[in-house]
């Protein structure tokens, strides 16, 4: 078998040009890669302090809210049975049925004048009979068990 040799200088040039183009296409850029500058450190904002938790209402505030609801329910109840059920529920919040209820009728220079003292049982029955809640709770005292031991009311304006 005979080997063919490149006979013409033109075909040799074309072959070299073809290899040259392939070599150039395969080579990466001859520019030196410049080291990328370090990015400036980004200051991360300090995490915002967690919002203060909403203050929890005190036991007295919770009791006042519940009692106001009971008083309004008794005064606005449509029948005696509903009023008596609400009175029974409300009585569970007091240390006993004879818990004193004081109603302020006048106050001057820090000296309070009270209406005749009554008990919670009598006051709730009064609300049931009159169907009017004319007072709001101005002071409340709780015993060691979290039950109401004394209640002070004032006239709504």
């Amino acid at each position: 078998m005979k080997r063919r040799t490149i006979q013409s200088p033109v075909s040799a040039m074309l072959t070299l040009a073809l290899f040259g183009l392939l070599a150039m296409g395969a080579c990466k850029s001859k520019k030196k890669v410049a080291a990328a500058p370090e990015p400036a450190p980004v200051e991360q904002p300090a995490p915002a302090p967690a919002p203060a938790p909403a203050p929890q209402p005190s036991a007295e505030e919770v009791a006042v809210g519940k009692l106001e609801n009971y008083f309004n329910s008794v005064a606005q109840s449509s029948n005696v049975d509903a009023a008596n059920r609400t009175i029974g529920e409300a009585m569970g919040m007091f240390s006993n049925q004879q818990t004193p209820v004081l109603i302020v009728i006048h106050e001057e220079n820090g000296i309070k004048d009270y209406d005749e003292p009554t008990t919670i049982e009598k006051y709730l029955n009064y609300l049931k009979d009159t169907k009017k809640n004319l007072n709001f709770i101005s002071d409340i005292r709780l015993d060691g068990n979290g039950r109401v031991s004394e209640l002070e009311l004032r006239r709504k304006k």
Side-chain angles (χ1 to χ4, degrees), residues 20-95:
L21 284 175
L22 287 175
M24 288 173 68
C27 289
K28 294 190 178 185
S29 172
K30 295 190 182 204
K31 292 182 182 176
K32 286 192 175 183
V33 176
E38 289 290 322
V42 178
E43 284 188 38
Q44 292 185 359
Q56 297 296 324
S58 67
E60 287 87 3
E61 292 170 333
V62 171
V64 166
K66 286 182 180 179
L67 285 176
E68 289 287 351
N69 288 336
Y70 282 132
F71 292 168
N72 289 329
S73 294
V74 169
Q76 297 170 359
S77 58
S78 57
N79 60 46
V80 174
D81 289 335
N84 286 336
R85 280 193 301 273
T86 306
I87 288 172
E89 288 177 27
M91 290 302 289
M93 293 185 63
F94 292 89
S95 56

Side-chain angles (χ1 to χ4, degrees), residues 5-21:
T5 58
I6 301 178
Q7 298 174 357
S8 92
V10 173
S11 71
M13 290 296 264
L14 285 175
T15 307
L16 284 175
L18 180 63
F19 284 124
L21 284 175

Side-chain angles (χ1 to χ4, degrees), residues 91 94 96-102 116-126 151:
M91 290 302 289
F94 292 89
N96 61 50
Q97 292 183 350
Q98 303 306 314
T99 299
V101 176
L102 305 170
E116 180 180 345
T118 187
T119 64
I120 189 59
E121 183 179 31
K122 289 179 184 176
Y123 182 73
L124 289 170
N125 284 315
Y126 167 79
L151 196 58

